[in-house]
């Protein structure tokens, strides 16, 4: 599988280094698909609703340097992905923005983004990062759509179905039972890919962790030890990625894994608020909310 669209561009904002832009693993022109036959609502989570909202807010910290999801965010980072927009950085080049807009069309046929569906389809089919094709009104129209609770809800739903559901399924297989453990898997899936053929992805890193430790929490390995090794291996992948095009930016984004490991080191296994996300982020989530 050729991975074409993972990135994290580093920005210095108010003195903190923020990893922004939600590019995750894709085959050119094809959005990542949810786990076959399952949605987040159909897979029994190891985390309750409040913890899942906290995970969404941690994603907002990592993606946009904010403590709540930024649904109206949209920009062209000039990184080959076209527009990057919304809570997890839906991109126009890869097709996941198209998938989101199509879902929006199905619940609100006359929505402000509906008129862009055909162009988004063409961009996704060709793997084009041409933002000009969408016209000057696309950015204000995206921001207008973000005022609609239905569109905001769909952003969360699509993100969960595409990344949280595979993380939940893998946590069950690996025996990861803590909320923080699920967050580690979710964030890795979102940033580095949820599929077994993502060469730096969540499944690959979990399998390498099992091999290094001779097992996993399901077979009796201490979960804290397993997650610490998982994060070490994840950082190695980020410093030396096999994913094309990530050689320059991923080595600078290891603070993401570092921040999650610091939560484990401080015993924040249940993701209760207030939760301080450290490393280079230094933000505190006082009340989880979408």
């Amino acid at each position: 599988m050729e991975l074409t669209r993972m990135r994290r561009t580093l920005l210095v904002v108010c003195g903190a280094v923020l990893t922004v832009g939600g590019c995750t693993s894709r085959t050119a022109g094809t959005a990542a698909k949810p786990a076959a036959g399952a949605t987040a609502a159909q897979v029994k989570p190891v985390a309750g609703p409040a913890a899942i909202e906290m995970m969404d807010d941690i994603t907002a910290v990592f993606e946009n340097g904010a403590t709540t999801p930024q649904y109206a965010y949209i920009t062209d980072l000039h990184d080959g992905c076209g527009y990057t927009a919304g809570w997890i950085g839906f991109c126009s080049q890869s097709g996941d923005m198209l998938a989101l807009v199509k879902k929006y069309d199905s619940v609100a046929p006359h929505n402000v983004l509906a008129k862009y569906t055909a162009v988004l389809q063409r961009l996704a089919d060709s793997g084009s990062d041409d933002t000009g094709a969408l016209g000057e009104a696309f950015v204000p129209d995206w921001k207008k759509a973000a005022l609609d609770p239905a569109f905001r809800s769909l952003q969360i739903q699509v993100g969960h179905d595409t990344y949280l559901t595979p993380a939940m399924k893998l946590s069950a297989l690996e025996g990861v039972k803590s909320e923080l453990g699920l967050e580690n898997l979710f964030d890795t899936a979102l940033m580095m890919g949820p599929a077994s053929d993502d060469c730096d992805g969540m499944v690959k890193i979990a399998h390498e962790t099992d091999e290094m430790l001779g097992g996993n929490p399901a077979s009796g390995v201490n979960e804290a030890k397993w997650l610490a090794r998982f994060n070490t291996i994840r950082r190695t992948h980020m410093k030396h990625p096999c994913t094309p095009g990530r050689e320059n930016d991923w080595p600078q984004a290891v603070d993401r894994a570092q921040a999650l490991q610091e939560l484990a080191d401080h015993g924040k296994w249940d993701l209760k608020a207030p939760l301080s996300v450290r490393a280079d982020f230094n933000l505190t989530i006082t009340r989880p909310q979408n």
Side-chain angles (χ1 to χ4, degrees), residues 162-214:
T162 308
Y163 304 111
L164 182 58
T165 292
M168 287 177 174
K169 297 181 76 172
L170 186 62
S171 71
L173 291 171
E174 296 287 340
V176 173
K177 298 185 181 299
S178 71
E179 294 168 353
L180 179 57
L182 177 59
E183 164 59 25
N184 275 264
L185 298 178
F186 176 37
D187 185 64
T188 305
L190 192 154
M191 180 180 180
M192 304 171 76
S196 59
D197 54 358
D198 291 320
C199 72
D200 293 302
M202 171 187 69
V203 176
K204 173 74 169 177
I205 294 171
H207 288 172
E208 290 181 6
T209 304
D210 294 349
E211 292 175 2
M212 290 290 292
L213 295 177

Side-chain angles (χ1 to χ4, degrees), residues 75-290:
T75 192
D76 181 359
L77 294 169
H78 302 288
D79 57 359
C81 298
Y83 278 124
T84 298
W87 166 55
I88 60 170
F90 300 95
C91 290
S92 57
Q93 176 269 346
S94 73
D96 63 350
M97 180 181 286
L98 169 68
L100 173 64
V101 171
K102 281 185 172 180
K103 283 185 176 292
Y104 193 27
D105 293 346
S106 70
V107 301
H110 303 295
N111 73 79
V112 69
L113 297 178
K115 59 183 173 286
Y116 301 104
T117 306
V119 179
L120 287 169
Q121 183 74 63
R122 187 170 73 249
L123 294 173
D125 288 346
S126 62
S128 172
D129 64 351
D130 177 17
T131 57
L134 290 161
E136 294 181 358
F138 183 71
V139 169
D141 281 345
W142 180 277
K143 293 179 179 180
K144 187 181 298 183
L147 298 174
D148 182 358
F151 186 58
R152 297 198 298 270
S153 179
L154 283 171
Q155 287 196 32
I156 295 293
Q157 177 190 324
V158 171
H160 285 179
D161 288 350
T162 308
Y163 304 111
L164 182 58
T165 292
M168 287 177 174
K169 297 181 76 172
L170 186 62
S171 71
L173 291 171
E174 296 287 340
V176 173
K177 298 185 181 299
S178 71
E179 294 168 353
L180 179 57
L182 177 59
E183 164 59 25
N184 275 264
L185 298 178
F186 176 37
D187 185 64
T188 305
L190 192 154
M191 180 180 180
M192 304 171 76
S196 59
D197 54 358
D198 291 320
C199 72
D200 293 302
M202 171 187 69
V203 176
K204 173 74 169 177
I205 294 171
H207 288 172
E208 290 181 6
T209 304
D210 294 349
E211 292 175 2
M212 290 290 292
L213 295 177
N216 55 27
S219 65
V221 174
N222 177 271
E223 182 172 326
K225 180 180 180 180
W226 189 89
L227 285 170
R229 183 59 60 90
F230 179 94
N231 274 323
T232 297
I233 294 172
R234 181 184 178 186
R235 287 193 294 268
T236 298
H237 275 266
M238 294 172 76
K239 292 176 181 177
H240 307 285
C242 54
T243 304
R246 300 282 63 86
E247 299 86 355
N248 294 325
D249 54 342
W250 276 12
Q252 302 177 73
V254 294
D255 55 343
R256 197 157 174 148
Q258 178 186 341
L260 293 176
Q261 184 57 47
E262 287 180 6
L263 290 176
D265 294 341
H266 288 90
K268 303 297 184 180
W269 296 97
D270 58 2
L271 299 182
K272 297 292 186 185
L275 191 74
S276 295
V277 183
R278 299 302 184 189
D280 290 318
F281 302 98
N282 291 316
L283 289 172
T284 298
I285 302 167
T286 57
R287 182 170 67 90
Q289 57 186 313
N290 288 336

